[in-house]
Amino acid sequence: QVQLVESGGGLVQAGGSLRLSCAASGSIFSINVMGWYRQAPGKQRELVATITSGVGTNYADSVKGRFTISRDNAKNTVYLQMNSLKPEDTAVYYCKFTATTTALRRGDYWGQGTQVTVSS
């Protein structure tokens, strides 16, 4: 099994910055895609950013130029640097990995979510 643990959420004023981290542990053989999603109250979960091994990054239009996704393969960790935060960025942020286990089973794994609140 694969477990994901997130950290770094919190309360910040508009214009501020936060850095989220998500570390995976367990029976991991490889991780192809690492991503961040978010869900605001009353809204559907949406893609924020993804980073794919050997391919590159992808961002939602709403965060382009403000957020940066990066990964440390040695640590099985993905980061989301969030700058110039806006109140509309307020949401629960989830990481998702597409990983292959040591039993060569491929699947999607989600973190438990971390709250980000941006005050105006």
Side-chain angles (χ1 to χ4, degrees):
Q1 281 294 343
V2 177
Q3 297 83 37
L4 275 57
V5 177
E6 302 169 9
S7 60
L11 173 64
V12 64
Q13 288 188 333
S17 298
L18 283 175
R19 188 190 192 210
L20 305 183
S21 300
C22 177
S25 62
S27 305
I28 300 167
F29 177 73
S30 65
I31 302 173
N32 184 20
V33 185
M34 298 180 176
W36 289 96
Y37 293 73
R38 66 186 181 187
Q39 187 167 18
K43 295 187 177 181
Q44 289 190 337
R45 192 172 297 188
E46 63 177 2
L47 171 76
V48 176
T50 61
I51 182 166
T52 303
S53 179
V55 175
T57 58
N58 178 54
Y59 294 93
D61 288 343
S62 59
V63 306
K64 282 181 180 177
R66 300 187 298 122
F67 291 11
T68 302
I69 189 170
S70 60
R71 60 191 285 172
D72 184 334
N73 291 328
K75 296 181 178 179
N76 289 332
T77 298
V78 66
Y79 305 96
L80 186 68
Q81 178 66 44
M82 305 185 293
N83 299 327
S84 302
L85 282 161
K86 304 175 181 180
E88 51 264 43
D89 294 319
T90 296
V92 177
Y93 284 70
Y94 299 89
C95 59
K96 186 183 88 168
F97 287 6
T98 300
T100 300
T101 68
T102 53
L104 300 183
R105 292 178 180 174
R106 182 183 174 98
D108 291 336
Y109 301 90
W110 289 87
Q112 79 284 1
T114 185
Q115 177 70 47
V116 171
T117 303
V118 184
S119 63
S120 57

mmCIF file of all heavy atoms in Angstrom, residues 17-21 34 36 48-51 57-60 63-71 78-85:
data_model
loop_
_atom_site.group_PDB
_atom_site.id
_atom_site.type_symbol
_atom_site.label_atom_id
_atom_site.label_comp_id
_atom_site.label_asym_id
_atom_site.label_seq_id
_atom_site.Cartn_x
_atom_site.Cartn_y
_atom_site.Cartn_z
ATOM 1 N N SER A 17 2.152 33.930 1.068
ATOM 2 C CA SER A 17 2.643 32.693 0.471
ATOM 3 C C SER A 17 2.517 31.532 1.453
ATOM 4 O O SER A 17 2.554 31.719 2.675
ATOM 5 C CB SER A 17 4.115 32.837 0.072
ATOM 6 O OG SER A 17 4.293 33.845 -0.898
ATOM 7 N N LEU A 18 2.372 30.352 0.883
ATOM 8 C CA LEU A 18 2.404 29.097 1.639
ATOM 9 C C LEU A 18 3.086 28.047 0.778
ATOM 10 O O LEU A 18 3.047 28.124 -0.459
ATOM 11 C CB LEU A 18 1.003 28.605 1.993
ATOM 12 C CG LEU A 18 0.253 29.270 3.143
ATOM 13 C CD1 LEU A 18 -1.171 28.706 3.222
ATOM 14 C CD2 LEU A 18 0.968 29.066 4.465
ATOM 15 N N ARG A 19 3.680 27.068 1.440
ATOM 16 C CA ARG A 19 4.286 25.939 0.724
ATOM 17 C C ARG A 19 3.702 24.647 1.272
ATOM 18 O O ARG A 19 3.839 24.364 2.470
ATOM 19 C CB ARG A 19 5.801 25.939 0.892
ATOM 20 C CG ARG A 19 6.521 24.920 0.014
ATOM 21 C CD ARG A 19 7.961 24.805 0.395
ATOM 22 N NE ARG A 19 8.749 24.078 -0.576
ATOM 23 C CZ ARG A 19 9.826 23.351 -0.279
ATOM 24 N NH1 ARG A 19 10.228 23.271 0.986
ATOM 25 N NH2 ARG A 19 10.514 22.733 -1.230
ATOM 26 N N LEU A 20 3.087 23.890 0.399
ATOM 27 C CA LEU A 20 2.529 22.591 0.774
ATOM 28 C C LEU A 20 3.518 21.485 0.415
ATOM 29 O O LEU A 20 4.239 21.588 -0.580
ATOM 30 C CB LEU A 20 1.209 22.340 0.059
ATOM 31 C CG LEU A 20 0.118 23.394 0.211
ATOM 32 C CD1 LEU A 20 -1.145 22.930 -0.515
ATOM 33 C CD2 LEU A 20 -0.171 23.674 1.670
ATOM 34 N N SER A 21 3.506 20.445 1.235
ATOM 35 C CA SER A 21 4.332 19.272 0.961
ATOM 36 C C SER A 21 3.460 18.033 1.054
ATOM 37 O O SER A 21 2.495 17.999 1.826
ATOM 38 C CB SER A 21 5.471 19.149 1.977
ATOM 39 O OG SER A 21 6.315 20.268 1.942
ATOM 40 N N MET A 34 2.573 13.219 -10.014
ATOM 41 C CA MET A 34 2.276 13.809 -8.706
ATOM 42 C C MET A 34 1.443 15.058 -8.969
ATOM 43 O O MET A 34 1.763 15.826 -9.885
ATOM 44 C CB MET A 34 3.551 14.184 -7.963
ATOM 45 C CG MET A 34 4.459 13.028 -7.640
ATOM 46 S SD MET A 34 5.945 13.624 -6.758
ATOM 47 C CE MET A 34 6.767 12.093 -6.403
ATOM 48 N N TRP A 36 -1.597 18.162 -7.365
ATOM 49 C CA TRP A 36 -2.362 18.830 -6.315
ATOM 50 C C TRP A 36 -3.746 19.178 -6.863
ATOM 51 O O TRP A 36 -3.881 19.643 -8.003
ATOM 52 C CB TRP A 36 -1.658 20.104 -5.859
ATOM 53 C CG TRP A 36 -0.428 19.863 -5.071
ATOM 54 C CD1 TRP A 36 0.853 19.838 -5.530
ATOM 55 C CD2 TRP A 36 -0.347 19.581 -3.667
ATOM 56 N NE1 TRP A 36 1.728 19.565 -4.502
ATOM 57 C CE2 TRP A 36 1.013 19.405 -3.354
ATOM 58 C CE3 TRP A 36 -1.290 19.472 -2.643
ATOM 59 C CZ2 TRP A 36 1.447 19.120 -2.058
ATOM 60 C CZ3 TRP A 36 -0.856 19.186 -1.375
ATOM 61 C CH2 TRP A 36 0.500 19.015 -1.087
ATOM 62 N N VAL A 48 -5.229 21.553 -9.633
ATOM 63 C CA VAL A 48 -4.412 22.745 -9.434
ATOM 64 C C VAL A 48 -3.155 22.654 -10.290
ATOM 65 O O VAL A 48 -2.856 23.551 -11.081
ATOM 66 C CB VAL A 48 -4.031 22.926 -7.956
ATOM 67 C CG1 VAL A 48 -3.103 24.124 -7.787
ATOM 68 C CG2 VAL A 48 -5.279 23.087 -7.094
ATOM 69 N N ALA A 49 -2.407 21.567 -10.113
ATOM 70 C CA ALA A 49 -1.163 21.398 -10.862
ATOM 71 C C ALA A 49 -0.737 19.941 -10.820
ATOM 72 O O ALA A 49 -1.036 19.231 -9.859
ATOM 73 C CB ALA A 49 -0.049 22.279 -10.282
ATOM 74 N N THR A 50 -0.046 19.510 -11.863
ATOM 75 C CA THR A 50 0.540 18.182 -11.890
ATOM 76 C C THR A 50 1.973 18.273 -12.412
ATOM 77 O O THR A 50 2.330 19.204 -13.139
ATOM 78 C CB THR A 50 -0.236 17.208 -12.780
ATOM 79 O OG1 THR A 50 -0.237 17.703 -14.130
ATOM 80 C CG2 THR A 50 -1.665 17.022 -12.300
ATOM 81 N N ILE A 51 2.758 17.275 -12.015
ATOM 82 C CA ILE A 51 4.120 17.162 -12.525
ATOM 83 C C ILE A 51 4.344 15.699 -12.869
ATOM 84 O O ILE A 51 4.158 14.821 -12.022
ATOM 85 C CB ILE A 51 5.154 17.711 -11.515
ATOM 86 C CG1 ILE A 51 6.565 17.616 -12.087
ATOM 87 C CG2 ILE A 51 5.045 17.044 -10.153
ATOM 88 C CD1 ILE A 51 7.577 18.454 -11.300
ATOM 89 N N THR A 57 5.248 19.912 -16.330
ATOM 90 C CA THR A 57 4.230 20.389 -15.413
ATOM 91 C C THR A 57 2.998 20.885 -16.166
ATOM 92 O O THR A 57 3.049 21.223 -17.351
ATOM 93 C CB THR A 57 4.776 21.538 -14.554
ATOM 94 O OG1 THR A 57 5.226 22.602 -15.417
ATOM 95 C CG2 THR A 57 5.946 21.075 -13.705
ATOM 96 N N ASN A 58 1.900 20.935 -15.418
ATOM 97 C CA ASN A 58 0.633 21.419 -15.953
ATOM 98 C C ASN A 58 -0.062 22.189 -14.843
ATOM 99 O O ASN A 58 -0.066 21.734 -13.696
ATOM 100 C CB ASN A 58 -0.239 20.242 -16.402
ATOM 101 C CG ASN A 58 -1.570 20.692 -16.918
ATOM 102 O OD1 ASN A 58 -1.662 21.533 -17.805
ATOM 103 N ND2 ASN A 58 -2.650 20.152 -16.371
ATOM 104 N N TYR A 59 -0.629 23.343 -15.177
ATOM 105 C CA TYR A 59 -1.268 24.194 -14.175
ATOM 106 C C TYR A 59 -2.671 24.597 -14.624
ATOM 107 O O TYR A 59 -2.932 24.797 -15.806
ATOM 108 C CB TYR A 59 -0.459 25.480 -13.948
ATOM 109 C CG TYR A 59 0.900 25.273 -13.345
ATOM 110 C CD1 TYR A 59 2.025 25.131 -14.141
ATOM 111 C CD2 TYR A 59 1.063 25.240 -11.960
ATOM 112 C CE1 TYR A 59 3.287 24.947 -13.581
ATOM 113 C CE2 TYR A 59 2.312 25.064 -11.398
ATOM 114 C CZ TYR A 59 3.414 24.917 -12.214
ATOM 115 O OH TYR A 59 4.654 24.731 -11.647
ATOM 116 N N ALA A 60 -3.543 24.756 -13.641
ATOM 117 C CA ALA A 60 -4.828 25.386 -13.911
ATOM 118 C C ALA A 60 -4.581 26.851 -14.270
ATOM 119 O O ALA A 60 -3.666 27.488 -13.732
ATOM 120 C CB ALA A 60 -5.727 25.293 -12.683
ATOM 121 N N VAL A 63 -4.094 29.536 -11.516
ATOM 122 C CA VAL A 63 -2.910 29.606 -10.648
ATOM 123 C C VAL A 63 -1.615 29.836 -11.418
ATOM 124 O O VAL A 63 -0.558 29.995 -10.809
ATOM 125 C CB VAL A 63 -2.777 28.331 -9.782
ATOM 126 C CG1 VAL A 63 -4.068 28.066 -9.011
ATOM 127 C CG2 VAL A 63 -2.377 27.121 -10.615
ATOM 128 N N LYS A 64 -1.690 29.862 -12.729
ATOM 129 C CA LYS A 64 -0.482 30.051 -13.535
ATOM 130 C C LYS A 64 0.203 31.364 -13.171
ATOM 131 O O LYS A 64 -0.442 32.396 -13.029
ATOM 132 C CB LYS A 64 -0.830 30.045 -15.021
ATOM 133 C CG LYS A 64 -1.073 28.671 -15.595
ATOM 134 C CD LYS A 64 -1.382 28.744 -17.088
ATOM 135 C CE LYS A 64 -1.632 27.353 -17.649
ATOM 136 N NZ LYS A 64 -2.015 27.404 -19.087
ATOM 137 N N GLY A 65 1.520 31.283 -13.003
ATOM 138 C CA GLY A 65 2.293 32.459 -12.653
ATOM 139 C C GLY A 65 2.341 32.742 -11.167
ATOM 140 O O GLY A 65 3.127 33.594 -10.723
ATOM 141 N N ARG A 66 1.521 32.047 -10.380
ATOM 142 C CA ARG A 66 1.505 32.268 -8.928
ATOM 143 C C ARG A 66 1.951 31.016 -8.168
ATOM 144 O O ARG A 66 2.588 31.128 -7.125
ATOM 145 C CB ARG A 66 0.101 32.664 -8.466
ATOM 146 C CG ARG A 66 -0.426 33.924 -9.095
ATOM 147 C CD ARG A 66 -1.751 34.357 -8.455
ATOM 148 N NE ARG A 66 -2.811 33.379 -8.612
ATOM 149 C CZ ARG A 66 -3.470 32.808 -7.595
ATOM 150 N NH1 ARG A 66 -3.166 33.115 -6.350
ATOM 151 N NH2 ARG A 66 -4.438 31.945 -7.835
ATOM 152 N N PHE A 67 1.593 29.850 -8.669
ATOM 153 C CA PHE A 67 1.923 28.590 -7.996
ATOM 154 C C PHE A 67 3.007 27.856 -8.774
ATOM 155 O O PHE A 67 3.052 27.926 -10.011
ATOM 156 C CB PHE A 67 0.696 27.679 -7.919
ATOM 157 C CG PHE A 67 -0.394 28.146 -6.995
ATOM 158 C CD1 PHE A 67 -0.394 29.415 -6.432
ATOM 159 C CD2 PHE A 67 -1.450 27.303 -6.691
ATOM 160 C CE1 PHE A 67 -1.397 29.840 -5.584
ATOM 161 C CE2 PHE A 67 -2.470 27.703 -5.858
ATOM 162 C CZ PHE A 67 -2.450 28.980 -5.310
ATOM 163 N N THR A 68 3.846 27.133 -8.059
ATOM 164 C CA THR A 68 4.891 26.318 -8.674
ATOM 165 C C THR A 68 4.895 24.934 -8.036
ATOM 166 O O THR A 68 5.003 24.825 -6.815
ATOM 167 C CB THR A 68 6.273 26.955 -8.507
ATOM 168 O OG1 THR A 68 6.274 28.269 -9.083
ATOM 169 C CG2 THR A 68 7.333 26.108 -9.207
ATOM 170 N N ILE A 69 4.787 23.921 -8.877
ATOM 171 C CA ILE A 69 4.844 22.544 -8.393
ATOM 172 C C ILE A 69 6.238 21.992 -8.670
ATOM 173 O O ILE A 69 6.841 22.281 -9.713
ATOM 174 C CB ILE A 69 3.759 21.660 -9.051
ATOM 175 C CG1 ILE A 69 3.697 20.293 -8.378
ATOM 176 C CG2 ILE A 69 3.966 21.537 -10.557
ATOM 177 C CD1 ILE A 69 2.484 19.449 -8.814
ATOM 178 N N SER A 70 6.746 21.217 -7.719
ATOM 179 C CA SER A 70 8.056 20.590 -7.897
ATOM 180 C C SER A 70 8.047 19.250 -7.164
ATOM 181 O O SER A 70 7.151 18.984 -6.357
ATOM 182 C CB SER A 70 9.174 21.488 -7.362
ATOM 183 O OG SER A 70 9.005 21.738 -5.980
ATOM 184 N N ARG A 71 9.028 18.409 -7.477
ATOM 185 C CA ARG A 71 9.078 17.086 -6.850
ATOM 186 C C ARG A 71 10.516 16.718 -6.516
ATOM 187 O O ARG A 71 11.456 17.141 -7.184
ATOM 188 C CB ARG A 71 8.449 16.023 -7.751
ATOM 189 C CG ARG A 71 9.110 15.851 -9.101
ATOM 190 C CD ARG A 71 8.272 14.968 -10.037
ATOM 191 N NE ARG A 71 8.359 13.548 -9.680
ATOM 192 C CZ ARG A 71 7.600 12.599 -10.234
ATOM 193 N NH1 ARG A 71 6.691 12.939 -11.142
ATOM 194 N NH2 ARG A 71 7.753 11.335 -9.883
ATOM 195 N N VAL A 78 6.207 15.732 -3.197
ATOM 196 C CA VAL A 78 5.823 16.801 -4.106
ATOM 197 C C VAL A 78 5.558 18.053 -3.283
ATOM 198 O O VAL A 78 5.099 17.973 -2.144
ATOM 199 C CB VAL A 78 4.597 16.415 -4.956
ATOM 200 C CG1 VAL A 78 3.345 16.251 -4.093
ATOM 201 C CG2 VAL A 78 4.359 17.426 -6.073
ATOM 202 N N TYR A 79 5.876 19.190 -3.875
ATOM 203 C CA TYR A 79 5.691 20.476 -3.204
ATOM 204 C C TYR A 79 4.793 21.375 -4.061
ATOM 205 O O TYR A 79 4.754 21.252 -5.287
ATOM 206 C CB TYR A 79 7.038 21.182 -2.998
ATOM 207 C CG TYR A 79 8.052 20.349 -2.259
ATOM 208 C CD1 TYR A 79 9.000 19.603 -2.942
ATOM 209 C CD2 TYR A 79 8.057 20.301 -0.860
ATOM 210 C CE1 TYR A 79 9.934 18.823 -2.272
ATOM 211 C CE2 TYR A 79 8.982 19.533 -0.183
ATOM 212 C CZ TYR A 79 9.919 18.794 -0.889
ATOM 213 O OH TYR A 79 10.836 18.028 -0.215
ATOM 214 N N LEU A 80 4.122 22.284 -3.390
ATOM 215 C CA LEU A 80 3.367 23.314 -4.092
ATOM 216 C C LEU A 80 3.680 24.648 -3.425
ATOM 217 O O LEU A 80 3.254 24.892 -2.292
ATOM 218 C CB LEU A 80 1.864 23.040 -4.058
ATOM 219 C CG LEU A 80 1.025 24.006 -4.894
ATOM 220 C CD1 LEU A 80 1.289 23.796 -6.388
ATOM 221 C CD2 LEU A 80 -0.475 23.831 -4.602
ATOM 222 N N GLN A 81 4.454 25.467 -4.119
ATOM 223 C CA GLN A 81 4.746 26.806 -3.634
ATOM 224 C C GLN A 81 3.656 27.739 -4.137
ATOM 225 O O GLN A 81 3.454 27.860 -5.349
ATOM 226 C CB GLN A 81 6.116 27.282 -4.139
ATOM 227 C CG GLN A 81 6.482 28.683 -3.719
ATOM 228 C CD GLN A 81 6.678 28.820 -2.227
ATOM 229 O OE1 GLN A 81 7.306 27.983 -1.585
ATOM 230 N NE2 GLN A 81 6.130 29.885 -1.646
ATOM 231 N N MET A 82 2.957 28.360 -3.210
ATOM 232 C CA MET A 82 1.830 29.216 -3.558
ATOM 233 C C MET A 82 2.153 30.653 -3.167
ATOM 234 O O MET A 82 2.332 30.944 -1.982
ATOM 235 C CB MET A 82 0.567 28.746 -2.846
ATOM 236 C CG MET A 82 0.231 27.291 -3.113
ATOM 237 S SD MET A 82 -1.353 26.777 -2.386
ATOM 238 C CE MET A 82 -0.944 26.893 -0.645
ATOM 239 N N ASN A 83 2.261 31.517 -4.145
ATOM 240 C CA ASN A 83 2.549 32.931 -3.928
ATOM 241 C C ASN A 83 1.364 33.785 -4.368
ATOM 242 O O ASN A 83 0.487 33.317 -5.098
ATOM 243 C CB ASN A 83 3.800 33.342 -4.704
ATOM 244 C CG ASN A 83 5.040 32.581 -4.282
ATOM 245 O OD1 ASN A 83 5.193 32.220 -3.109
ATOM 246 N ND2 ASN A 83 5.941 32.344 -5.228
ATOM 247 N N SER A 84 1.366 35.015 -3.932
ATOM 248 C CA SER A 84 0.301 35.961 -4.303
ATOM 249 C C SER A 84 -1.077 35.349 -4.089
ATOM 250 O O SER A 84 -1.947 35.415 -4.961
ATOM 251 C CB SER A 84 0.464 36.397 -5.763
ATOM 252 O OG SER A 84 1.731 36.989 -5.974
ATOM 253 N N LEU A 85 -1.270 34.769 -2.927
ATOM 254 C CA LEU A 85 -2.518 34.069 -2.653
ATOM 255 C C LEU A 85 -3.703 35.018 -2.626
ATOM 256 O O LEU A 85 -3.586 36.187 -2.195
ATOM 257 C CB LEU A 85 -2.401 33.309 -1.332
ATOM 258 C CG LEU A 85 -1.614 31.997 -1.435
ATOM 259 C CD1 LEU A 85 -1.136 31.548 -0.063
ATOM 260 C CD2 LEU A 85 -2.473 30.930 -2.085
#
